Amino acid sequence: MQAVISIDIGGTSTKLATVDQVSNVLDEMVFATQSYQDEDAYFDRLFLAVSDLIARRKEDQILGIGIGAPCGIPNEGVIYQAANLPFSERVEIVRRFEEVFAIPTFLTKDSYAAALGEGVIGAAQNMSDYIVITLGTGLGSALVANQQLIIGSNGQAGELGHTTSVPGGRACRCGKRGCLETYVSASGIKRTLFELLANSNRESFFRKKSFDEVSAKDIFLQAQNGDELALKAFELTGKLLGEKLADLVALTEPEAIVINGGLASSGTLLIKPVQEHLEKNLLRFYQGKIKILI
Amino acid sequence: MQAVISIDIGGTSTKLATVDQVSNVLDEMVFATQSYQDEDAYFDRLFLAVSDLIARRKEDQILGIGIGAPCGIPNEGVIYQAANLPFSERVEIVRRFEEVFAIPTFLTKDSYAAALGEGVIGAAQNMSDYIVITLGTGLGSALVANQQLIIGSNGQAGELGHTTSVPGGRACRCGKRGCLETYVSASGIKRTLFELLANSNRESFFRKKSFDEVSAKDIFLQAQNGDELALKAFELTGKLLGEKLADLVALTEPEAIVINGGLASSGTLLIKPVQEHLEKNLLRFYQGKIKILI
């Protein structure tokens, strides 16, 4: 059988899969991204994982290796200034792979990979104009228009997470203030929850928890239990995302906006306020026409 | 000779030109858009102008008529909900033209026409990714990526003027609040000037002028004379545009942003603060790479 190896390098985990030509996953592997001393130790672990996957399917022909990573620049094969990864400023990842494996290797930004995937086998099949938002530790995005991914003049387009949501607002790891990602992401909703804890007098499960021990998943679980501050945190997160998406619709008028990633699995808790505030802020001629898909 | 007739329908003036195949202007005409009782009276005037242009170049073959108009929807030949024009909600302009003239007629949004023009004979020749901002009575925009205009799923993309600049800010004619156009446009800079008159104690040429008698051109002239409030109005206008353009760069990473229209002729008064606040708000990897062209 012919297959490819897909690699998703995330701030938390690195996920690998062997995939056949009709996108069936034949094999999978995952390891923590952050538990390595340095870049070289990380790559030793990554190459070992790829070797394992290849060895486990000896009968298959591996046609290529595809990598998605934050700050991956498609045409250069380089990961550049990835704040969430334990890497130096410029990592020539495609070159490193091709030195170890005699297999053609391709790199793209993680959000671009997500957008291409949604188009080929996901929620955006047969759409010519759509947007993909990935809600993980950060907020990734990719815009597709005229059936083509917008990668920009240097392969670094699609940074919706670093557009301004609240002027002069929260400090972002990029050095700016008020970036959407500091509000709408797994880390953003936690910051919102702790702001609510500070500003309100309401009882909450989270009064007894430290910042470091709370995860977005905890907030989701407590919101389902009816914790008022957790519910309010989802409401505020959805509001800011909906408002931002209304501006994005005015720029590229997509047929749909696909939201994926961990926080998207919160379902209606997040999506209801997103849809409400999207519609409220759309110009009249876009109203009722933009699909939000999970 | 073979030629086309170009028509630019603006909120203030309607401009017509006969243009040859290498974009030389052979003949021109202009009339005020707003001085007609209703849509039919306006179209009588427009058709008369076109007939005149055709009659004046009897020896030429007119191959087509091209129209740019606010809210012009390219594939439908319809102007839809144009707040600045004395029209009903839906005007089938291409059909109306083809009933009068036996000449193929094409419609696009004014900002799309501007973007195509900048690409073919203007400041963005040979660029694959660029943005055009038109500063007139309102703020028009068009995005080009992968050498293609982004018109969106229904031909209504590119409404940068109606994305939020100041949350909860000035009332916009679109019904929303804080739209960029209410700050950055000929009408926007006048509103800024009058806000400065209200908030400051400084002397100004404009203390003796009514809102209705001041134009953006007056503000430009007084800024050149050193009027401090006029200078401050340009500074604030440029700041908000620069901040918004930084967000736009994060989305599509253009090679250049071309600014045209009346207010753009203010030169460095506007462009200096735009460039300063654009650079200040760019993510590190875009800094120093985005050209602002007039």
Side-chain angles (χ1 to χ4, degrees):
Chain A
M1 197 186 287
Q2 293 183 319
V4 297
I5 291 179
S6 297
I7 305 175
D8 172 22
I9 302 181
T12 308
S13 345
T14 297
K15 295 173 191 159
L16 301 94
T18 309
V19 180
D20 73 11
Q21 288 183 304
V22 286
S23 303
N24 292 312
V25 173
L26 308 175
D27 199 355
E28 281 182 286
M29 208 179 278
V30 60
F31 65 90
T33 302
Q34 298 288 352
S35 39
Y36 301 89
Q37 228 178 328
D38 56 22
E39 191 177 306
D40 287 335
Y42 172 83
F43 275 102
D44 286 346
R45 176 70 188 90
L46 181 57
F47 292 150
L48 186 66
V50 173
S51 302
D52 269 6
L53 284 178
I54 294 172
R56 273 146 65 163
R57 299 200 65 88
K58 275 215 177 67
E59 73 280 17
D60 298 338
Q61 186 196 357
I62 304 297
L63 297 176
I65 298 173
I67 307 168
C71 303
I73 303 181
N75 301 327
E76 298 185 30
V78 165
I79 298 176
Y80 186 60
Q81 294 183 346
N84 285 336
L85 299 179
F87 292 171
S88 48
E89 171 152 309
R90 183 184 167 86
V91 181
E92 299 200 10
I93 187 166
V94 167
R95 190 183 53 73
R96 287 187 84 135
F97 263 80
E98 294 188 335
E99 281 171 8
V100 175
F101 303 100
I103 299 174
T105 301
F106 302 89
L107 170 74
T108 196
K109 187 147 79 159
D110 49 1
S111 63
Y112 297 169
L116 295 172
E118 293 291 0
V120 175
I121 54 162
Q125 289 174 57
N126 303 316
M127 287 187 194
S128 166
D129 304 270
Y130 63 95
I131 292 168
V132 173
I133 310 281
T134 302
L135 299 177
T137 315
L139 185 152
S141 71
L143 284 59
V144 174
N146 301 311
Q147 296 181 284
Q148 283 189 285
L149 192 61
I150 299 180
I151 69 162
S153 57
N154 192 34
Q156 294 175 301
E159 292 291 338
L160 180 70
H162 297 285
T163 62
T164 302
S165 176
V166 177
R170 293 178 186 163
C172 184
R173 64 191 167 77
C174 76
K176 302 206 299 165
R177 286 205 159 265
C179 290
L180 183 66
E181 175 171 294
T182 66
Y183 296 86
V184 181
S185 64
S187 55
I189 196 170
K190 186 162 92 163
R191 294 169 83 163
T192 299
L193 177 80
F194 275 75
E195 195 175 312
L196 290 168
L197 280 170
N199 291 339
S200 130
N201 289 313
R202 289 196 188 277
E203 248 331 293
S204 166
F205 171 85
F206 295 102
R207 295 262 174 224
K208 299 204 179 350
K209 300 286 174 187
S210 73
F211 191 87
D212 281 352
E213 69 188 320
V214 171
S215 72
K217 186 154 192 198
D218 297 329
I219 304 173
F220 170 62
L221 292 174
Q222 293 307 317
Q224 286 193 309
N225 282 346
D227 186 283
E228 284 183 50
L229 294 188
L231 285 165
K232 184 84 184 158
F234 271 99
E235 165 68 28
L236 290 174
T237 305
K239 176 176 188 284
L240 288 177
L241 181 56
E243 288 171 357
K244 177 60 82 172
L245 293 182
D247 279 357
L248 204 48
V249 167
L251 294 174
T252 68
E253 200 196 17
E255 184 178 340
I257 299 166
V258 183
I259 304 179
N260 62 28
L263 204 57
S265 56
S266 319
T268 54
L269 267 177
L270 182 69
I271 297 315
K272 205 168 151 253
V274 170
Q275 264 170 329
E276 180 192 334
H277 292 277
L278 168 66
E279 284 297 325
K280 197 189 266 183
N281 288 281
L282 284 177
L283 286 171
R284 220 174 93 203
F285 45 71
Y286 303 131
Q287 283 169 12
K289 291 183 188 161
I290 315 296
K291 293 173 226 155
I292 299 278
L293 306 172
I294 305 295
Chain B
M1 197 187 289
Q2 294 184 318
V4 298
I5 291 178
S6 297
I7 305 175
D8 171 23
I9 302 182
T12 307
S13 346
T14 297
K15 296 173 190 159
L16 300 95
T18 310
V19 179
D20 73 11
Q21 287 183 302
V22 286
S23 302
N24 292 311
V25 173
L26 308 173
D27 198 354
E28 281 182 286
M29 207 180 281
V30 60
F31 65 89
T33 302
Q34 298 287 353
S35 41
Y36 301 89
Q37 229 178 326
D38 56 23
E39 190 176 306
D40 288 337
Y42 172 82
F43 275 102
D44 286 347
R45 177 69 188 90
L46 181 57
F47 292 150
L48 187 65
V50 173
S51 301
D52 270 6
L53 283 179
I54 294 171
R56 273 146 63 162
R57 302 200 62 88
K58 275 215 176 69
E59 73 280 18
D60 298 336
Q61 185 196 355
I62 303 297
L63 296 177
I65 298 173
I67 307 168
C71 303
I73 302 181
N75 302 327
E76 298 185 31
V78 165
I79 298 176
Y80 186 60
Q81 295 183 347
N84 285 337
L85 299 179
F87 292 171
S88 49
E89 171 151 309
R90 184 184 165 87
V91 181
E92 300 198 10
I93 187 166
V94 167
R95 192 183 52 72
R96 288 186 83 135
F97 263 81
E98 293 187 335
E99 281 170 9
V100 175
F101 303 100
I103 299 174
T105 301
F106 302 88
L107 171 74
T108 195
K109 188 147 78 159
D110 49 2
S111 63
Y112 298 169
L116 295 172
E118 293 290 359
V120 175
I121 54 160
Q125 290 175 57
N126 303 316
M127 286 186 197
S128 167
D129 304 270
Y130 62 95
I131 293 168
V132 173
I133 310 282
T134 302
L135 300 177
T137 314
L139 185 152
S141 71
L143 283 59
V144 174
N146 302 311
Q147 296 182 286
Q148 282 189 288
L149 193 61
I150 299 180
I151 70 164
S153 57
N154 192 33
Q156 294 175 301
E159 293 291 338
L160 180 71
H162 298 285
T163 62
T164 302
S165 176
V166 177
R170 293 177 185 163
C172 184
R173 64 192 166 76
C174 76
K176 302 205 299 166
R177 285 204 159 265
C179 290
L180 183 66
E181 175 171 293
T182 66
Y183 297 86
V184 181
S185 64
S187 55
I189 196 170
K190 185 162 94 164
R191 294 169 83 162
T192 299
L193 177 80
F194 275 76
E195 195 175 314
L196 290 168
L197 280 170
N199 291 338
S200 128
N201 289 313
R202 290 194 187 277
E203 249 330 293
S204 167
F205 170 86
F206 295 102
R207 295 264 173 222
K208 297 203 179 352
K209 300 287 174 188
S210 74
F211 190 88
D212 281 351
E213 67 187 321
V214 171
S215 72
K217 187 154 190 196
D218 297 330
I219 304 173
F220 169 63
L221 292 174
Q222 293 307 318
Q224 287 193 307
N225 283 344
D227 187 284
E228 284 182 50
L229 294 189
L231 285 165
K232 184 84 185 157
F234 271 99
E235 164 69 27
L236 290 173
T237 305
K239 176 176 188 284
L240 289 177
L241 180 54
E243 289 172 356
K244 178 58 83 173
L245 293 183
D247 279 357
L248 203 48
V249 167
L251 294 174
T252 68
E253 201 198 15
E255 183 179 339
I257 300 167
V258 183
I259 304 179
N260 62 29
L263 204 57
S265 56
S266 320
T268 54
L269 267 177
L270 182 70
I271 296 316
K272 208 169 149 255
V274 169
Q275 265 171 327
E276 180 192 334
H277 292 278
L278 167 64
E279 284 297 326
K280 198 191 266 182
N281 288 281
L282 285 177
L283 287 171
R284 220 174 94 202
F285 46 70
Y286 303 131
Q287 284 170 11
K289 292 184 187 159
I290 315 297
K291 294 174 226 157
I292 300 277
L293 305 172
I294 306 295

